[in-house]
Amino acid sequence: MEYLNKLYGNGEKARILYNAVFGSKTWLDLDRGTIDYEKAKRVMASEFANYAEDIDFLMDNWVEIMAPIEDNIAILKELRLKGFKLFLLSNFHREAYDRVSKKYDFFKLFDGIFISSHYGLLKPEREIFLTMLNKFLLAPSECIFIDDTQINVSAAEELGITGIVYTEPQRLRQKLEELKIL
């Protein structure tokens, strides 16, 4: 919403566009990999015909707002230096992941990357966690899952994974220190 509010103000248009794009079932279908990017744009535009140009713009440009949080990258590097294995589990549609992962080097810090659209699964579905654990031969009791959404963290915890709800870098560092990780 912050991105939309910057573009369109805090009014009705921003809320409508949020629902049309980021809050839509089609967005989830993109992240699941069950619809391709161009078809998703057409579906969204057809459902909100009065906003078709805005939807097209958002779909082509939203990924530009995705920038790494440098403090988080510093934490990743510290964990790496301490010998921890690092894995990325993300709800991400294929085209956006391809663009972002080529743009930023921090993706190279991960020992394994599991992107929802590549597997037809979404967080917080139990199956996405089980499939990732199996793929990388990870024991739930040896994992810490960090996510900015409580429902995703709760899903991981149900499998015996320690969870941290991310709010900001300093709080993450504090939680990792409490767990004797940092």
Side-chain angles (χ1 to χ4, degrees), residues 20-179:
V21 179
F22 308 110
S24 71
K25 179 188 178 308
T26 304
W27 185 262
L28 293 176
D29 292 341
L30 268 172
D31 280 353
R32 186 183 296 280
T34 56
I35 189 172
D36 70 45
Y37 184 74
E38 290 303 322
K39 183 173 182 184
K41 284 173 51 173
R42 287 192 305 274
V43 168
M44 290 173 185
S46 71
E47 292 173 355
F48 293 85
N50 292 342
Y51 299 93
E53 286 183 27
D54 295 303
I55 290 168
D56 193 54
F57 173 82
L58 289 172
M59 289 296 291
D60 288 343
N61 294 288
W62 77 272
V63 77
E64 299 309 317
I65 67 168
M66 297 191 71
I69 300 168
E70 294 301 325
D71 289 342
N72 289 348
I73 294 173
I75 291 170
L76 277 173
K77 289 178 179 177
E78 284 181 57
L79 292 170
R80 188 98 174 125
L81 285 173
K82 288 185 168 274
F84 288 99
K85 296 285 186 181
L86 304 172
F87 297 88
L88 173 67
L89 170 61
S90 184
N91 285 353
F92 227 139
H93 58 274
R94 190 174 300 271
E95 292 80 359
Y97 171 74
D98 289 345
R99 286 173 60 188
V100 171
S101 65
K102 288 176 184 151
K103 186 174 181 179
Y104 298 111
D105 285 341
F106 76 87
F107 285 92
K108 295 176 184 168
L109 294 171
F110 294 101
D111 295 284
I113 295 176
F114 195 98
I115 302 301
S116 61
S117 60
H118 296 73
Y119 294 89
L121 301 166
L122 288 175
K123 295 182 293 182
E125 297 166 352
R126 179 180 180 89
E127 191 63 29
I128 195 169
F129 294 99
L130 294 173
T131 303
M132 182 180 173
L133 290 168
N134 186 54
K135 176 178 176 53
F136 296 115
L137 304 174
L138 302 172
S141 63
E142 296 175 358
C143 296
I144 298 173
F145 177 70
I146 303 163
D147 194 281
D148 63 353
T149 307
Q150 179 64 57
I151 192 168
N152 293 341
V153 171
S154 295
E157 289 174 334
E158 287 176 14
L159 295 170
I161 299 170
T162 299
I164 297 174
V165 178
Y166 177 85
T167 55
E168 48 95 23
Q170 292 73 23
R171 183 78 177 123
L172 174 59
R173 182 174 291 283
Q174 178 186 2
K175 286 290 198 181
L176 291 171
E177 288 171 358
E178 289 170 11
L179 292 168

